[in-house]
Amino acid sequence: MTATSPAGALLKVEGVSKRFGDSPAVDRVDLSVAPGELFALLGASGSGKTTLLRLIAGLERPDGGRVRIDGVDVTERPAYERPVNTVFQSYALFPHMSVRSNVAYGLKQENLPRNEIEKRVAEMLQLVQMEAFAHRRPSQLSGGQKQRVAIARSLAKRPKLLLLDEPMAALDRRLREQTRLELAAIQKRLGIAFILVTHDQEEAMSLADRMAVMEAGRIVQIGTPREIYARPATRSVAGFIGDTNLFEGRAIQREGSYLVIRLADGDMIVHDDAEIAPDTAVWLAVRPERLRLGAMENSNCLEVRVLRLEYRGDQSILHARTPRGAPVRLKGDNEALASLAPGATITVSCAPDDIVVLGR
């Protein structure tokens, strides 16, 4: 999947807005999702991602704009008339019903034949590996098992689009990792488009074909996880997606496709084809894993003072500061960093291609 709108989109959100009082929760959002795509809406609390999901689901009505699913304008249609189902953070299972009855509930509401209901329920329970728990009630299930039941119930109606609102927020870290693998396997097996709302960048990056980063009700960048991580569009995206070093500076000279940026702690040369004029204020973003110990040939160098080492198991994070106080983090091999004592002055370097130039 590419960052551009997919051809033959299953979902099209066109200029959709929603206000609550004087505050815009969703502000003129455009979005397309392809059939079979796993798309993530990522952002901090209050960014508008859950409101956008509810607008797609039909649980909220937009103040402006249109929502189209499979070529049909569903903007004015209620939730139950849209080919969409939602898995909520709370799972919303009926506590007095068995697992089997929870999965069958929506099918019974549609008055499907009994044999068809039994067939679909059996298929869904097998899909989420919950056949052995069919007669249990939600109170007898773990958080991960409840989530599987909620997914089975939503998929039983065979929606064209499945919406998931923070579905793994209540699970511990290890169970989240396991559930992510299961969710991705289910999605690929069925080929149904999923939209996942999450504030967890690791979750979005490990699952999504593409994702949109939201801020203050707007989408600030859409792309594959790799594109957004490697080339964030704004300083806020760079700081939100993964860990990054940010340096404030000013463009002073262009030499072909290279730009000289003056920082408080010295000059850096960056490879950048954007039309950035001299004397333009910019920010530079460098991922911690792109920094290297020592002065490397044809690289930018910074002198830093070591503050501390943070052990991360397979790697360590070096925390340091430049002479003018800019924080610097370097991710590297445990053995290579182990000898660096707090207070030591060292040189770190990065190649011009490892730096992303961002506007203010």
Side-chain angles (χ1 to χ4, degrees):
M1 299 289 178
T2 64
T4 57
S5 297
L10 172 69
L11 169 72
K12 283 192 175 182
V13 175
E14 302 169 346
V16 164
S17 296
K18 180 67 178 180
R19 301 182 71 89
F20 295 110
D22 294 330
S23 301
V26 173
D27 189 7
R28 293 166 290 175
V29 165
D30 293 307
L31 176 67
S32 295
V33 175
E37 183 173 28
L38 203 163
F39 193 96
L41 292 174
L42 179 66
S45 178
S47 61
K49 57 190 186 297
T50 294
T51 300
L52 178 57
L53 194 82
R54 291 176 63 84
L55 289 165
I56 295 168
L59 301 171
E60 299 282 355
R61 291 290 180 90
D63 298 323
R66 316 303 297 174
V67 177
R68 304 180 194 277
I69 300 176
D70 206 14
V72 177
D73 189 338
V74 297
T75 310
E76 303 300 325
R77 292 189 181 185
Y80 60 83
E81 289 185 3
R82 301 187 184 197
V84 169
N85 245 336
T86 306
V87 176
F88 297 99
Q89 183 176 338
S90 63
Y91 311 132
L93 299 176
F94 297 111
H96 62 288
M97 292 184 182
S98 68
V99 166
R100 183 182 298 279
S101 296
N102 264 282
V103 176
Y105 180 80
L107 304 177
K108 290 180 179 178
Q109 295 298 107
E110 292 184 346
N111 294 315
L112 291 182
R114 182 175 177 179
N115 62 338
E116 178 64 17
I117 292 175
E118 290 178 352
K119 178 184 175 183
R120 287 205 203 175
V121 170
E123 287 176 352
M124 291 301 104
L125 292 180
Q126 182 180 29
L127 181 70
V128 299
Q129 302 175 39
M130 289 294 290
E131 309 101 301
F133 303 87
H135 299 291
R136 290 195 186 183
R137 296 204 175 174
S139 61
Q140 298 172 302
L141 303 176
S142 69
Q145 289 168 337
K146 289 177 184 177
Q147 188 205 52
R148 292 185 196 181
V149 177
I151 291 171
R153 182 180 62 183
S154 295
L155 291 174
K157 294 182 69 175
R158 297 179 178 172
K160 293 181 179 179
L161 179 63
L162 184 67
L163 310 177
L164 301 106
D165 185 11
E166 302 273 9
M168 289 167 267
L171 306 180
D172 62 54
R173 182 178 179 85
R174 187 167 184 176
L175 188 54
R176 279 203 307 272
E177 292 174 354
Q178 176 187 335
T179 306
R180 282 204 300 263
L181 293 174
E182 294 173 351
L183 187 63
I186 289 170
Q187 194 268 340
K188 296 305 178 188
R189 195 178 313 154
L190 295 178
I192 294 175
F194 282 18
I195 297 182
L196 169 72
V197 160
T198 181
H199 65 275
D200 187 329
Q201 54 184 276
E202 183 179 323
E203 188 172 289
M205 293 181 71
S206 65
L207 280 172
D209 298 315
R210 291 189 307 141
M211 61 187 192
V213 183
M214 293 195 69
E215 182 182 326
R218 292 188 173 185
I219 291 176
V220 291
Q221 188 172 2
I222 296 178
T224 67
R226 184 181 296 274
E227 289 168 347
I228 291 179
Y229 184 82
R231 293 289 162 183
T234 67
R235 183 157 55 104
S236 61
V237 173
F240 187 72
I241 303 295
D243 194 10
T244 195
N245 295 293
L246 290 168
F247 303 102
E248 188 173 12
R250 186 171 294 275
I252 61 170
Q253 183 181 347
R254 176 168 289 281
E255 299 174 0
S257 61
Y258 291 90
L259 193 63
V260 180
I261 306 294
R262 178 146 296 164
L263 309 181
D265 292 285
D267 292 352
M268 280 195 171
I269 298 175
V270 302
H271 189 195
D272 187 84
D273 294 322
E275 295 297 324
I276 298 175
D279 204 36
T280 301
V282 297
W283 285 83
L284 303 183
V286 186
R287 296 294 183 186
E289 65 272 18
R290 308 308 296 179
L291 286 175
R292 298 290 183 266
L293 291 175
M296 310 294 288
E297 187 177 357
N298 299 321
S299 291
N300 297 289
C301 296
L302 280 175
E303 186 179 90
V304 300
R305 183 170 61 87
V306 176
L307 300 178
R308 65 186 178 91
L309 285 176
E310 180 183 345
Y311 180 70
R312 293 279 185 93
D314 60 333
Q315 290 184 312
S316 291
I317 305 293
L318 169 71
H319 294 264
R321 283 195 183 279
T322 68
R324 296 298 180 94
V328 175
R329 291 175 300 281
L330 180 152
K331 183 186 294 184
D333 179 74
N334 290 321
E335 291 185 8
L337 298 179
S339 62
L340 300 177
T345 298
I346 63 172
T347 299
V348 298
S349 58
C350 61
D353 286 338
D354 291 333
I355 303 172
V356 179
V357 182
L358 304 169
R360 282 193 175 274

